[in-house]
Amino acid sequence: MNRPDAPPLAAAADNAQGALFAQSASGCAFANLPASFYTHVAPRPLTAPWLAHANPVVAQWLGLDAAALQSPEFLALCAGSGRLPGVEPLASVYSGHQFGVWAGQLGDGRAHLLGDIQGPQGRWEIQLKGSGRTPYSRMGDGWAVLRSSVREYLASQAMSGLGIPTTHALALVASADPVIRETPETAAVVTRVAPSFIRFGHFEHWARSATEQAALLDHVIAQGFQDCRVGPGDRPDRPATACQLLDEVTRRTARLMAQWQLAGFCHGVMNTDNMSILGLTLDYGPYGFMDAFQANHICNHSDTLGRYAWNAQPAVAQWNLTRLAESLMVLGCSVPDLEAALAPFESTFLQAYHAGLARKFGLSDWRPEDAGLGDAWWALLHAQRADFTLAFRRLADVDTDAQSWLDLFTDAQAAQQWLDRYRTRRAQDPHPQAGRQAAMNRVNPLYVLRNHLAQQAIEAAQQGDASGIDHLMDLLQDPFTERPDCAQYARPPAPDIPVVAVSCSS
């Protein structure tokens, strides 16, 4: 949609105290934790905001219809001047390791938790990101710029469409308020939703306080991990419960890493404070979907040592889980019990990775001898710098159009050698040939959020035109189905398109 003349929001803000969510607002469960966990602080409302986009799918999860998304009350809520009924916004404190180094106290430096909504799809926390300073801003201005906000908004849709666990974005609101980064930019706020925004860093913050750590554990168990509780609710065995939770978080995180790797997704800043206790993809900053494959691809140009390169992500996740485990020792968990809870990471990751790669190859199962085929695949893509997404997608068509797949490689002979090996393996597979192509196309996307596509949408939005965002949101909702009029969105960036550099400031 194009930017309209924005009306004053004073009256809308008053009405937004409860009009939209009068029946579904359910307080704020996080605020039931001790006061040491957060600070009540109001967002800084945007001046003359305009709704760049609202996500109708996420809105339905919250019980909102199309008319509600166009209301002044909705705009006020997402711009920072509205409130959920009976809830005072808050920012939470946490700590964490950043680039492998203990960073001490961190927190929601530019995010405000508005409260909880009980919708048709369950309970959701509503959070504004980029909505002004908090006590945890560490000298920052607390605002986000339109550039980074568009990237986060689109990324959550891209991951959701791929079936990868993620936080979700409800709305993107922009304004002409100036924000200074490397250059002058304008402000924006993303309204995002998740069952919980709790991170590994929340537990790290209370690693030396048994009382607060026990309160946090009880809260997390009650909000989504009831199966991990050991003992009765009024007298839980907290060390055993904490180890059960760690075991479950370990398995969720391992499966998430497998999905990232198989999508060619690089997070870019896998600090412990950016790791979700629910196993969701959290905090989209300098992320990227690979174009030309490089196993050691670094998407964050602030990551000078390559700590968060694509091929390092599973090991970093395991390292982060170990830091989480260490924080649970204050509850009385023994080292052997914590090590046992961490132990499933490798087997869970490999099981998910191998099963996923088998599906992407069109194989009915994964056999131990397939490890060589898989290693040769990555080596081929790396040596040839082949396009990650198209290499998988066109593999489904090699029986009818092998040349299109071979065209992705500069050394056709090397590619043909791998293809011959693949065909030999596939001939041994019981998967019905008739349905193989369709099955592969259901797991190998044609469209991903390439950086140059996001940049095009950003540049249009900076001129007040959000139609590019709207088109990408629609396309990424189903990235597997080919659309004849969207061929340009499936292509790698042309050689003359500048590489989009993303950093921690993104």
Side-chain angles (χ1 to χ4, degrees):
M1 62 189 71
N2 293 324
R3 178 172 59 192
D5 292 331
L9 285 183
D14 291 340
N15 293 334
Q17 299 293 332
L20 282 179
F21 296 104
Q23 303 300 320
S24 57
S26 55
C28 181
F30 193 88
N32 294 329
L33 286 162
S36 54
F37 280 77
Y38 57 84
T39 300
H40 284 297
V41 57
R44 181 183 177 185
L46 296 177
T47 305
W50 60 285
L51 182 65
H53 202 273
N55 190 327
V57 175
V58 176
Q60 289 178 3
W61 300 346
L62 304 178
L64 295 177
D65 58 20
L69 299 183
Q70 299 303 317
S71 68
E73 293 81 8
F74 181 78
L75 179 59
L77 188 75
C78 297
S81 58
R83 300 290 182 270
L84 293 180
V87 180
E88 187 178 351
L90 62 83
S92 73
V93 65
Y94 46 82
S95 295
H97 286 79
Q98 298 189 326
F99 289 89
V101 178
W102 176 244
Q105 179 182 300
L106 304 167
D108 290 332
R110 54 177 180 170
H112 294 77
L113 183 62
L114 299 184
D116 303 346
I117 297 298
Q118 186 65 42
Q121 298 292 325
R123 187 193 65 86
W124 300 93
E125 292 185 352
I126 311 298
Q127 185 185 74
L128 301 183
K129 182 176 180 181
S131 45
R133 293 192 64 185
T134 78
Y136 316 115
S137 294
R138 294 191 299 169
M139 305 304 293
D141 57 32
W143 269 357
V145 297
L146 181 60
R147 165 179 49 88
S148 64
S149 299
V150 170
R151 285 179 56 81
E152 168 136 358
Y153 191 75
L154 291 172
S156 60
Q157 179 79 330
M159 296 295 268
S160 179
L162 291 169
I164 300 176
T166 180
T167 58
H168 299 277
L170 171 64
L172 171 64
V173 175
S175 84
D177 290 317
V179 181
I180 303 300
R181 293 294 182 262
E182 288 87 351
T183 60
E185 300 188 54
T186 57
V189 174
V190 174
T191 304
R192 58 185 188 176
V193 305
S196 173
F197 288 96
I198 291 179
R199 309 142 186 272
F200 291 10
H202 281 94
F203 285 89
E204 287 186 286
H205 187 74
W206 302 113
R208 297 185 179 181
S209 175
T211 300
E212 280 84 0
Q213 194 74 299
L216 180 59
L217 175 67
D218 292 348
H219 171 79
V220 169
I221 294 297
Q223 294 302 310
F225 291 93
Q226 292 88 343
D227 290 345
C228 295
R229 180 183 287 113
V230 179
D234 57 339
R235 294 191 312 278
D237 182 337
R238 287 202 175 94
T241 298
C243 288
Q244 285 289 102
L245 174 67
L246 179 62
D247 182 279
E248 176 62 21
V249 174
T250 295
R251 295 174 190 273
R252 292 189 186 193
T253 304
R255 290 190 291 267
L256 180 68
M257 291 304 105
Q259 290 177 284
W260 283 8
Q261 300 304 96
L262 293 172
F265 174 79
C266 299
H267 186 279
V269 60
M270 288 178 63
N271 299 331
T272 57
D273 57 294
N274 291 335
M275 298 293 292
S276 162
I277 204 70
L278 295 180
L280 307 176
T281 311
L282 176 69
D283 284 348
Y284 295 97
Y287 71 86
F289 289 88
M290 263 193 281
D291 295 316
F293 176 74
Q294 291 287 274
N296 58 346
H297 175 73
I298 303 167
C299 69
N300 177 3
H301 75 69
S302 301
D303 185 10
T304 55
L305 299 179
R307 177 178 176 83
Y308 300 139
W310 176 85
N311 58 0
Q313 291 182 142
V316 169
Q318 194 170 25
W319 189 92
N320 289 344
L321 285 161
T322 303
R323 307 287 80 75
L324 173 62
E326 291 169 350
S327 74
L328 299 176
M329 294 179 68
V330 71
L331 295 174
C333 301
S334 70
V335 171
D337 286 346
L338 291 170
E339 289 177 340
L342 291 169
F345 181 89
E346 184 174 356
S347 60
T348 303
F349 170 79
L350 288 175
Q351 181 180 23
Y353 165 75
H354 287 151
L357 190 55
R359 287 191 295 272
K360 291 175 79 69
F361 282 166
L363 304 176
S364 60
D365 61 359
W366 182 266
R367 303 173 183 176
E369 59 268 27
D370 292 335
L373 181 69
D375 290 345
W377 168 260
W378 298 122
L380 175 67
L381 264 63
H382 179 87
Q384 308 276 319
R385 298 184 64 88
D387 186 80
F388 185 101
T389 301
L390 293 181
F392 275 109
R393 180 73 179 197
R394 292 185 186 177
L395 192 61
D397 302 327
V398 293
D399 289 339
T400 57
D401 186 12
Q403 191 60 49
S404 291
W405 182 82
L406 290 169
D407 286 344
L408 297 171
F409 302 92
T410 55
D411 185 345
Q413 182 177 1
Q416 185 65 56
Q417 289 174 351
W418 185 91
L419 184 58
D420 292 341
R421 182 176 180 179
Y422 167 70
R423 283 171 165 160
T424 299
R425 167 63 178 91
R426 207 182 64 179
Q428 303 166 358
D429 193 85
H431 195 293
Q433 180 63 31
R436 189 189 308 275
Q437 182 182 46
M440 292 176 70
N441 285 341
R442 285 195 295 269
V443 296
N444 290 315
L446 182 58
Y447 313 106
V448 294
L449 184 59
R450 299 176 185 269
N451 269 341
H452 74 285
L453 299 178
Q455 186 62 28
Q456 291 169 6
I458 290 167
E459 291 173 1
Q462 288 171 335
Q463 301 302 314
D465 179 6
S467 60
I469 297 174
D470 186 63
H471 187 69
L472 281 174
M473 289 289 286
D474 179 61
L475 186 67
L476 295 170
Q477 187 173 344
D478 177 10
F480 303 100
T481 301
E482 183 173 5
R483 302 190 188 186
D485 59 337
C486 293
Q488 69 273 26
Y489 293 95
R491 300 189 192 109
D496 60 342
I497 294 181
V499 174
V500 178
V502 291
S503 67
C504 289
S505 68
S506 298

